[in-house]
Amino acid sequence: MPKPLTIACIGCGGRGLIYLELASKQPKRYQVVAAADPCESRLDRAERYSANPDFRRFRDDTEILAEPQLADVMIIGTQDAQHKEHAIAAMKRGYDLLLEKPIASNPDDIAEVHLLARRLGRRVMVCHVLRYTAFYRKVKSLIDSGELGDIVSLNATEGVEAWHYAHSFVRGHWSVAAKSSPMILAKSCHDLDILRWIVGTKCQSLSSFGGLMHFNQRNKPNGAPARCLSGCPLGDQCIYNADRYLTDKKRWLFISPLPEDSNESDFREWLHNSPWGLCVYQSGNDVVDHQTVNMLFKGGATATFTMTAFEENRHIEIFGTKARLIAGDRIKKGYGCDILVKPHADNKEAVTHCIGQSDGGCATHMGGDASLVDALYDEMRGKDTSAMTSSLEVSVESHRMAFAAEESRLSGQTFHFE
Ligand SMILES: NC(=O)c1ccc[n+]([C@@H]2O[C@H](COP(=O)([O-])OP(=O)(O)OC[C@H]3O[C@@H](n4cnc5c(N)ncnc54)[C@H](O)[C@@H]3O)[C@@H](O)[C@H]2O)c1
């Protein structure tokens, strides 16, 4: 039996803990040996998942990286603006990385991480979880099979969903671009990455439009206080009322650093003081709530992408010379299948494909987190690094598309890649 891959983690928040929990379910392949996070309750969970009597806990990146290399792979699960520093320090200490997206928050920092990984020969797997889903793998295999003919046009939509948007991008960590990342990078780098992967050629040019239309002061209802729990007179009518964190939206409280045994009054107190209790029309947020990107790929295929706060889940349409493919949440709701392929020939019937629920279906991350952790072993141990599914190499390219889209949105100019 080959040796298990040993794993350590810097940043045991929502993402870090998901990966640690999934890895701990495969003890023959993975051993979680150490973790760092300033939050004790998160370290407790990491230690519980590890089930390793020699598990080591550290207060932060500096403490864990002051030690000699403790594991084969370091998960970088901290916030966007910290990735560059933590990735570089961990690579210098000898670790290969499972690096949360974005690789870093600006193109120069990404280039620095990329160059260092090359120079040191480190493997870096970027958490582009969608590439690992059964759903997108099936879409890609249908295209690669030639069933659709040449790909001419694509339309993709990412519906963030209104409450999720308000939670993460109005009140949450990704609400101010300068402190984290622009929306097109923070949320939609996955979608640009999938489009690039599916088309199979480089993006040549793109343009983008978008803005923050709804979650701003202009739409603040008269009389709404700065915080929902300060007796908002419109609380009963507002779907974003933070009081819902204590009723039907409790599952979103995972964001809080409070210990697991906290009670309702602890969470109420936390909502009184944290950004998650703010009125969504007065949160100081600036990232867009809707954006479109228009792309031209080498070879002539064109694609459009829409991110909106006001739709749920993902949807994609791919138009080829032999057939069209429609897939995602809308087709699921309408036809009960995940992917529908309709040949242009009149005498050919549409073919449907279902992705089993156990394979992740087509909602949220679509099983991508589990499949990514499944793939981690081979991606880190495989002989051929060019065969990695979401290596730094391929991820850098789709990150560049996201930065170009933001530049185009802000400048109003079409961006041409060299
Ligand atoms: N791949 C995906 O689909 C996906 C989805 C959501 C988020 N993300 C990305 O994952 C990253 C983490 O997101 P999250 O939701 O888990 O955030 P989070 O805030 O829940 O987790 C970050 C953790 O880092 C810890 N931390 C802060 N400073 C630290 C330090 N110096 N040393 C060690 N730990 C430190 C925090 O205490 C926290 O527990 C973000 O960059 C985010 O953009 C990726």
Side-chain angles (χ1 to χ4, degrees):
M1 187 68 200
K3 258 177 43 180
L5 197 71
T6 50
I7 298 179
C9 179
I10 298 178
C12 306
R15 302 304 302 165
L17 286 174
I18 283 179
Y19 298 131
L20 293 182
E21 183 180 13
L22 288 164
S24 72
K25 290 183 178 159
Q26 302 192 41
K28 290 197 174 131
R29 302 173 82 213
Y30 303 118
Q31 250 177 34
V32 177
V33 297
D37 199 297
C39 177
E40 284 294 319
S41 62
R42 290 177 183 163
L43 277 183
D44 290 345
R45 279 181 66 188
E47 181 159 8
R48 208 176 328 128
Y49 293 145
S50 157
N52 180 339
D54 300 322
F55 177 83
R56 299 191 57 191
R57 344 176 12 132
F58 298 90
R59 206 174 28 206
D60 59 17
D61 58 299
T62 317
E63 266 194 4
I64 196 170
L65 293 172
E67 296 284 324
Q69 188 183 350
L70 299 170
D72 301 313
V73 175
M74 180 66 83
I75 299 175
I76 306 293
T78 44
Q79 276 299 335
D80 302 14
Q82 299 170 296
H83 290 179
K84 175 206 168 186
E85 185 193 333
H86 294 163
I88 285 185
M91 285 194 287
K92 285 186 175 164
R93 187 42 99 207
Y95 292 96
D96 289 326
L97 304 182
L98 177 63
L99 173 59
E100 253 311 350
K101 44 86 346 202
I103 300 161
S105 307
N106 65 65
D108 289 345
D109 287 354
I110 288 179
E112 207 177 318
V113 172
H114 191 194
L115 277 176
L116 186 75
R118 272 193 182 170
R119 189 160 66 75
L120 298 176
R122 300 280 179 262
R123 291 186 188 216
V124 179
M125 182 172 167
V126 179
C127 296
H128 274 136
V129 289
L130 297 188
R131 283 197 182 212
Y132 296 88
T133 59
F135 173 79
Y136 281 112
R137 280 174 184 255
K138 182 70 190 172
V139 169
K140 172 112 173 94
S141 80
L142 287 166
I143 289 168
D144 292 348
S145 73
E147 213 173 300
L148 270 64
D150 293 335
I151 302 307
V152 178
S153 329
L154 304 91
N155 284 329
T157 307
E158 181 190 15
V160 181
E161 195 274 319
W163 176 273
H164 180 180
Y165 179 87
H167 171 84
S168 298
F169 304 100
V170 177
R171 295 170 164 142
H173 297 300
W174 302 277
S175 54
V176 177
K179 289 190 192 159
S180 56
S181 315
M183 186 73 182
I184 195 73
L185 182 68
K187 190 79 178 88
S188 308
C189 69
H190 286 305
D191 303 272
L192 300 182
D193 184 68
I194 283 291
L195 286 169
R196 162 68 184 88
W197 187 53
I198 283 175
V199 173
T201 60
K202 290 193 178 215
C203 183
Q204 273 189 338
S205 305
L206 59 74
S207 61
S208 181
F209 298 93
L212 178 60
M213 211 168 133
H214 183 67
F215 296 94
N216 55 35
Q217 286 274 352
R218 273 199 313 278
N219 294 305
K220 174 176 107 65
N222 280 339
R227 288 187 167 272
C228 303
L229 275 61
S230 308
C232 180
L234 296 134
D236 289 348
Q237 299 150 44
C238 179
I239 61 167
Y240 306 106
N241 188 348
D243 205 42
R244 294 182 70 191
Y245 281 110
L246 302 171
T247 55
D248 61 319
K249 297 291 185 187
K250 274 187 182 151
R251 77 177 184 88
W252 294 86
L253 284 173
F254 73 85
I255 198 80
S256 138
L258 293 181
E260 285 169 272
D261 58 358
S262 305
N263 59 31
E264 185 178 321
S265 97
D266 300 326
F267 283 118
R268 191 171 281 282
E269 179 66 21
W270 174 74
L271 285 170
H272 269 296
N273 296 303
S274 83
W276 286 274
L278 290 171
C279 167
V280 293
Y281 303 105
Q282 312 173 67
S283 287
N285 51 307
D286 66 8
V287 301
V288 299
D289 54 18
H290 66 297
Q291 185 164 359
T292 60
V293 186
N294 215 354
M295 287 152 272
L296 170 67
F297 288 89
K298 199 164 175 231
T302 52
T304 59
F305 167 68
T306 298
M307 178 288 300
T308 175
F310 304 107
E311 163 65 306
E312 301 179 331
N313 298 326
R314 289 183 162 94
H315 179 79
I316 188 162
E317 296 168 308
I318 304 174
F319 307 106
T321 50
K322 292 186 183 163
R324 61 182 188 271
L325 177 153
I326 310 176
D329 196 50
R330 276 179 229 155
I331 203 84
K332 182 90 180 171
K333 284 174 183 150
Y335 292 81
C337 63
D338 297 291
I339 301 169
L340 184 141
V341 178
K342 174 71 186 81
H344 301 316
D346 291 338
N347 59 352
K348 288 197 177 161
E349 292 294 316
V351 180
T352 57
H353 302 270
C354 290
I355 307 296
Q357 213 40 52
S358 59
D359 285 326
C362 71
T364 59
H365 282 170
M366 309 167 169
D369 297 343
S371 311
L372 176 139
V373 170
D374 249 358
L376 176 68
Y377 190 93
D378 291 336
E379 300 244 329
M380 289 295 163
R381 288 269 160 91
K383 282 203 178 71
D384 180 8
T385 50
S386 69
M388 287 175 76
T389 304
S390 61
S391 64
L392 198 52
E393 222 68 36
V394 296
S395 303
V396 163
E397 200 188 318
S398 53
H399 274 47
R400 278 198 197 116
M401 289 166 67
F403 287 115
E406 190 61 0
E407 194 174 319
S408 167
R409 184 184 76 82
L410 294 171
S411 67
Q413 307 286 313
T414 298
F415 187 99
H416 301 284
F417 292 92
E418 279 166 19

